[in-house]
Amino acid sequence: MTAVEQDPDTSRAASSRGVAPLLVSTGVSVAGDGAFAASAPLLAASLTHSPLAISTVTVATYVPWLVIGLPAGALVDRWPKRLVMVTADLVRAGVLAVLCVLVWTDRAAS
């Protein structure tokens, strides 16, 4: 068997940072996803008393993963990873900020 050669600069950079940034970013992401998964149906319940509307909101949070996930994954593999992540996070933060402003001004239900 032949040993796989690694670039010494790459392996040194990876070992100097450790896994702490990865663990912290994963923890923040999972906490944010969990908070959103819990708060979306609660927001719907505060705006309406219809069980169908509340369950529709819950299902709608998973629809993008099912509909867009596969084509988006194929496209993202061809694009610069860092740019895609930053752009997706900024768009997601913008949509969430608009929702927060709508809730704060009592215009979310209209």
Side-chain angles (χ1 to χ4, degrees):
M1 293 183 129
T2 60
V4 176
E5 292 184 28
Q6 291 183 347
D7 183 17
D9 293 333
T10 305
S11 62
R12 192 176 326 124
S15 65
S16 67
R17 281 193 263 169
V19 296
L22 177 64
L23 290 177
V24 169
S25 64
T26 302
V28 169
S29 178
V30 168
D33 288 343
F36 183 76
S39 63
L42 290 174
L43 175 62
S46 71
L47 297 174
T48 183
H49 295 293
S50 169
L52 181 62
I54 296 168
S55 62
T56 302
V57 168
T58 304
V59 168
T61 60
Y62 295 105
V63 168
W65 291 350
L66 297 172
V67 174
I68 302 172
L70 191 59
L75 290 173
V76 166
D77 284 343
R78 292 169 176 82
W79 295 342
K81 310 262 185 289
R82 186 176 187 95
L83 178 64
V84 170
M85 286 297 296
V86 169
T87 304
D89 285 342
L90 289 175
V91 168
R92 187 175 179 184
V95 169
L96 193 56
V98 168
L99 178 62
C100 289
V101 168
L102 289 174
V103 169
W104 188 46
T105 59
D106 289 331
R107 294 181 187 244
S110 53

